[in-house]
Structure formats: C-alpha cells, structure tokens
Amino acid sequence: MAKHAGASRVGVTLSYTGTEVLLDVRDDGRGFAEGTGTGFGLTSMRQRIRGVGGHVEVHGAPGEGTSVSARVPAIAPGGMRETTATRATRAKGEAGR
C-alpha cells in the first residue's frame, strides 16, 4: 500500500457470515480517478475473485484514498461450499455432541 498508494494508514477487516467471507481494505493514499485503476493487479484480483464465485468492488478518488471490498462464498470444512442443507446437517451433528 505504501509503495503504490502512498498510504500512511490502512484498515483491513475480514468477516465470516456463515455463507460468505468478506474482505474490506481501505487506505488514505492518493486514490485514483474514476475509469482508471484497471492495471494488472486489480484486473488479476477481479478475475480470481470471480473465478471462485465472488464479487469485488473498488472505489477511489484522487487524494481520497481507495477502498476494496470483496466477498466470496464460504467453503465448509471438507472443501464443499456451505449451503442451507449442509449447514443444517452440520448443526444436527454438533447438537448431538
């Protein structure tokens, strides 16, 4: 962040909602003008997030910093995406312990 954005502060939040994993990154760097910010790094990030069924949003303004928000489906233990059915099955198993 310091190198590319000239940021002195960065905030990172990682959240798990049960069905999704959410990542928010915000900085106080130089930001960018609307319509720019399409370099290799952001393009690659968007492709990777979409490749696992997720979504990413990038916002910035000159002198106002940048925010990146990504959300991807949660993967349940055992490597399966958690659905309502797998969540209910897991809850039954945990309740029987």
Side-chain angles (χ1 to χ4, degrees), residues 57-79:
E57 293 181 15
V58 180
H59 299 281
E64 307 254 335
T66 301
S67 67
V68 178
S69 298
R71 55 181 50 218
V72 295
I75 304 295

Side-chain angles (χ1 to χ4, degrees), residues 3-88:
K3 177 182 176 184
H4 293 289
S8 61
R9 296 179 57 165
V10 176
V12 178
T13 304
L14 182 64
S15 306
Y16 171 67
T17 67
T19 58
E20 291 183 309
V21 177
L22 312 171
L23 173 67
D24 290 300
V25 181
R26 301 181 190 284
D27 70 43
D28 66 351
R30 68 176 64 89
F32 59 89
E34 195 67 37
T36 62
T38 57
F40 179 74
L42 291 175
T43 299
S44 180
M45 181 174 38
R46 286 182 176 109
Q47 289 173 344
R48 288 181 178 147
I49 300 277
R50 275 188 288 221
V52 296
H55 177 74
V56 65
E57 293 181 15
V58 180
H59 299 281
E64 307 254 335
T66 301
S67 67
V68 178
S69 298
R71 55 181 50 218
V72 295
I75 304 295
M80 295 175 48
R81 285 195 178 146
E82 188 162 56
T83 63
T84 303
T86 58
R87 199 169 32 257

